[in-house]
Amino acid sequence: MKKFVYFANGGCGNHGCEAIVRSLEYILNSDPKRNKSLSISYAEDSRYGLTELVDTISLNTLSHRNLTYLRSYIDLKLNKSQYSLDLFPYRYVLSHLENPKEWVALSVGGDNYCYGGTDFYYELDKTFHKAGLKTAMVGCSIEPEVISKPDVKKDLASHSLIIARESITYNALVDNGLTNARLLPDPAFLLKTEFADLPTGFLPENTIGINLSPQVNKCSSDGEITSRNVDRLIEHLIAKTTMQIALIPHVIWAQSNDLDTLKPLYEKYKDTGRVILINDCNAEKLKGYIARCRFLIAARTHASIAAYSNCVPTLVIGYSVKAKGIAKDIFGTYDNYVLPSQSLKTDFDLINAFEWLKENEQSIKSHLEDFMPGYCAKAHNIKDELEHIA
């Protein structure tokens, strides 16, 4: 059985990052602490319990009093190497890794190639290869136009295996001549669901979950239209339905915190008695809250995955290939299931999209109940693919 070094994971403050690693440990059926995680956010990983599953190495607290750091510093000064010091902690860990050829460095960042800054990953992959490790990617989504860039294609070709989590990415990899690509669901479709006590006001089967990200406003046409759409939706739900509304965070990083968007909504509507704010907790508990929703409106990919895997009809306010690709693979189309924030034209587009979801609630739920068991089970094949890396 191979051993894996997880890297390119931003930390458990993004519960999607947490969900991927937790699910991989379940899929791989690994002994606790057999695999390693190279953590840039050790405090986060510890707070949410990931350090109990994986041997977690804090990259930010390694001492600089060693030969590896000195070499990195000299490389910076003599060769003007842009990433020399950024790569130091990885080089240091690899220099102390016993039998490096027994390990596979596994990129678990999901969408790290979607938002720029990819040059660092090229250098990091080279660092792993130089140390004797093979590399692989799992649960990834990449915009097709990014894959076609020569430097990106070269880096992707250096991996022993790339497991795309949706068919838009997979087809783009194949179309660009990459023969190391496979198509399997995101590992988080197999994340365990923990059913914590529900807060007062959360009505199982008659609560709509809303997950919002600061990112959706940044991607919308005027910077505020998404917020106005959400306000109109909440007001519509209060006036026209009996549903409760649960505001559910899924990322709480300082630089991108869902609570920055959700808390003002809670304060605005809490006196109606219809709106609940779910407290931050680990990915399995968040999945438990989402599982008991009647519908979910989600901006974060792994919030939608938690809903799909529990057969909750879901509308994704999407802004990237991952939302469209996952919905397309589940429903055959992403039309009506993904509402790109860039496409919002009026303040009532979200109400109209939700009303379509509500009108088709039973057929959507029936489809998910028929489709999801087999689809989720495919994620178990990730283990065979990783174990067969030569």
Side-chain angles (χ1 to χ4, degrees):
M1 182 181 291
K2 285 187 168 57
K3 295 184 284 187
F4 298 94
V5 178
Y6 302 131
F7 74 100
N9 185 297
C12 288
N14 181 327
H15 295 296
C17 296
E18 176 195 353
I20 288 175
V21 176
R22 281 188 180 277
S23 302
L24 280 171
E25 285 294 289
Y26 166 66
I27 290 167
L28 294 170
N29 195 25
S30 299
D31 295 331
K33 304 285 184 96
R34 173 184 174 84
N35 298 321
K36 297 183 184 296
S37 175
L38 305 185
S39 173
I40 62 172
S41 303
Y42 186 91
E44 288 180 16
D45 295 347
S46 176
R47 183 186 315 142
Y48 297 104
L50 203 64
T51 55
E52 298 171 13
L53 298 176
V54 186
D55 181 13
T56 306
I57 300 168
S58 175
L59 297 179
N60 295 334
T61 58
L62 294 175
S63 171
H64 292 174
R65 296 178 179 275
N66 56 70
L67 188 58
T68 306
Y69 181 82
L70 179 60
R71 287 172 176 164
S72 298
Y73 185 78
I74 292 171
D75 187 34
L76 169 68
K77 292 299 183 182
L78 293 182
N79 301 318
K80 308 297 182 185
S81 176
Q82 181 181 357
Y83 299 110
S84 181
L85 294 184
D86 293 330
L87 292 169
F88 150 69
Y90 298 93
R91 290 169 174 162
Y92 180 82
V93 170
L94 293 172
S95 71
H96 289 78
L97 192 65
E98 191 173 340
N99 299 321
K101 292 189 177 181
E102 294 181 359
W103 295 80
V104 175
L106 189 56
S107 175
V108 292
D111 52 6
N112 285 328
Y113 285 72
C114 290
Y115 303 120
T118 52
D119 288 0
F120 173 71
Y121 294 110
Y122 312 158
E123 298 303 319
L124 184 53
D125 293 335
K126 291 176 187 176
T127 298
F128 285 121
H129 297 152
K130 187 175 181 180
L133 283 75
K134 287 182 165 47
T135 57
M137 299 174 68
V138 67
C140 67
S141 291
I142 311 173
E143 297 286 349
E145 60 269 25
V146 173
I147 296 172
S148 63
K149 295 178 180 178
D151 51 351
V152 176
K153 193 188 300 188
K154 181 180 179 181
D155 178 58
L156 294 174
S158 73
H159 293 297
S160 297
L161 176 68
I162 301 173
I163 302 179
R165 62 182 162 193
E166 35 74 22
S167 59
I168 296 176
T169 293
Y170 172 75
N171 290 334
L173 291 166
V174 172
D175 290 345
N176 278 277
L178 291 159
T179 59
N180 54 352
R182 305 291 183 273
L183 174 62
L184 290 171
D186 189 297
F189 276 96
L190 292 176
L191 179 71
K192 295 177 182 177
T193 305
E194 182 176 343
F195 294 101
D197 292 340
L198 290 173
T200 301
F202 192 118
L203 303 179
E205 303 302 324
N206 201 35
T207 293
I208 179 170
I210 297 180
N211 161 254
L212 286 179
S213 150
Q215 192 71 19
V216 292
N217 267 331
K218 294 176 184 177
C219 295
S220 61
S221 57
D222 70 1
E224 294 295 335
I225 194 169
T226 304
S227 292
R228 295 197 301 271
N229 266 265
V230 173
D231 281 338
R232 298 296 85 78
L233 175 64
I234 291 175
E235 291 159 7
H236 173 79
L237 292 167
I238 291 170
K240 302 294 185 181
T241 78
T242 61
M243 280 185 277
Q244 294 290 92
I245 301 156
L247 306 176
I248 306 174
H250 215 267
V251 175
I252 60 155
W253 281 340
Q255 70 273 22
S256 183
N257 190 335
D258 294 354
L259 289 171
D260 291 343
T261 305
L262 296 176
K263 279 184 176 179
L265 282 174
Y266 174 70
E267 293 299 326
K268 188 172 184 177
Y269 295 106
K270 66 180 180 181
D271 291 341
T272 66
R274 300 281 296 279
V275 179
I276 308 145
L277 179 64
I278 300 298
N279 293 324
D280 177 50
C281 52
N282 73 30
E284 293 176 344
K285 289 181 179 178
L286 288 172
K287 187 171 183 178
Y289 291 123
I290 291 169
R292 287 172 283 183
C293 290
R294 180 176 170 184
F295 300 99
L296 181 72
I297 310 291
R300 299 291 188 179
T301 298
H302 282 90
S304 71
I305 288 173
Y308 290 143
S309 58
N310 279 288
C311 301
V312 175
T314 298
L315 173 66
V316 180
I317 306 175
Y319 48 85
S320 69
V321 63
K322 52 189 174 178
K324 292 180 178 179
I326 292 170
K328 177 177 177 290
D329 292 347
I330 293 173
F331 299 105
T333 178
Y334 54 77
D335 293 338
N336 296 313
Y337 299 100
V338 177
L339 181 64
S341 51
Q342 305 95 319
S343 71
L344 294 174
K345 303 299 182 186
T346 78
D347 293 356
F348 301 94
D349 290 345
L350 185 54
I351 290 177
N352 294 332
F354 167 72
E355 283 298 317
W356 184 92
L357 197 74
K358 184 158 72 72
E359 289 169 10
N360 292 276
E361 176 182 5
Q362 291 308 315
S363 62
I364 294 169
K365 196 165 182 66
S366 294
H367 172 73
L368 289 170
E369 288 171 348
D370 289 341
F371 182 82
M372 291 312 299
Y375 179 79
C376 293
K378 291 178 183 178
H380 284 289
N381 294 332
I382 291 172
K383 179 176 182 178
D384 288 339
E385 292 289 349
L386 290 174
E387 288 291 345
H388 283 93
I389 292 175

